Amino acid sequence: MNSALVTAAELAELLEGPTPPVLLDVRWQLSAAKANGEPAFDGRAEYERGHLPGAVHVDLDRELAGPPGEGGRHPLPDLGVLAAALRRAGVSAGRPVVAYDGGIGWGAARAWWLLRWAGHQDVRVLDGGLPAWRGPLAEGPEPAPEEGDFQPEPGAMPVVDAAGAAELAREGLLLDARAGERYRGEVEPVDPVGGHIPGAVSAPTSLNVGPDGRFRPLGELAARYAELGAAKEGARVGVYCGSGVSAAQEVLALELVGIRAALYPGSWSEWVADPSRPVAKG
């Protein structure tokens, strides 16, 4: 595996090869729908309307995260729940995995990060997500693949907690992957408090991708993160967002240009759950 990404054309070739990858459909959206009285995004319904042939739907909220609470809106999942979901989808240690979403890269990157963190060595994200796919789509309920044998062994990707994030903000580089207006505290549609961790640097995930949802060329990504200070020799880098989902896309972008960054899974939703933690605005 030379990259954490795979293009739609490359994926089509892999699916015709001797060891086709397991396909995970991880379509998910951050939504304030409940507050607005609108129906929440339904990833399974989207899956049944059309998905890559052979793909299995994985529920980000229920299978790739633990129950919301003091640890944030999407804390790391129980290992037993994660293992069962991945094995149900056919994930095995010796078989490649490709995750895709609706194109923004958040859901797929969360699956990529979790699998890498849990010890899987061959995981990629479909660049551009489902909109980039040019082949036929399947409809209806998911298939029942042969159960996989994957056993999570966490620790293969770096993680920081709230104290570690605060320390990185002071002495390393802590990137805030949310939109700039949320970082500045001008709006906060999801969490009870707006603003950012003091010392964190704004680095919205929207700037990692182009209008088509595909990641920007490596040279552009490298220049972006060099300007933010992530490319300095010996730099210690961490990323957070609202709840540890979009931050995974930023960790992926950094990985593409050779920078290993730690994820703060609890992110802002955990940070503000403790009123004693400081909040910066502007």
Side-chain angles (χ1 to χ4, degrees), residues 1 27 29 41 44 47 56 70 81 98 151 174 202 223 227 275:
M1 184 180 66
R27 276 177 280 178
Q29 287 183 11
F41 176 81
R44 181 168 292 279
Y47 169 90
V56 174
E70 291 185 0
V81 172
V98 171
Q151 294 285 351
L174 182 65
S202 181
E227 185 175 349

Side-chain angles (χ1 to χ4, degrees), residues 42-174:
D42 189 337
R44 181 168 292 279
E46 292 295 319
Y47 169 90
E48 293 189 357
R49 275 193 280 270
H51 54 267
L52 267 62
V56 174
H57 172 69
V58 179
D59 191 300
L60 189 150
D61 290 318
R62 297 175 179 83
E63 297 176 316
L64 302 184
E70 291 185 0
R73 285 184 280 110
H74 292 102
L76 293 181
D78 174 86
L79 284 181
V81 172
L82 177 65
L86 295 176
R87 290 198 293 265
R88 173 186 62 81
V91 175
S92 293
R95 187 176 173 191
V97 177
V98 171
Y100 71 89
D101 55 26
I104 197 170
W106 291 2
R110 171 75 174 208
W112 166 84
W113 186 89
L114 273 174
L115 275 158
R116 289 290 309 278
W117 167 78
H120 202 292
Q121 297 297 313
D122 193 349
V123 190
R124 283 183 272 186
V125 167
L126 175 59
D127 196 13
L130 188 65
W133 181 251
R134 295 294 176 261
L137 296 178
E139 297 178 0
E142 61 191 13
E146 181 179 348
E147 182 150 328
D149 62 13
F150 184 65
Q151 294 285 351
E153 296 182 6
M157 294 287 276
V159 174
V160 293
D161 58 10
E167 193 269 338
L168 271 177
R170 291 192 306 269
E171 301 180 17
L173 176 64
L174 182 65

Side-chain angles (χ1 to χ4, degrees), residues 180-186 195-196 200 202 280-282:
E181 58 269 24
R182 291 183 70 192
Y183 168 89
R184 294 187 295 272
E186 296 166 357
H196 59 270
S202 181
K281 293 180 183 283

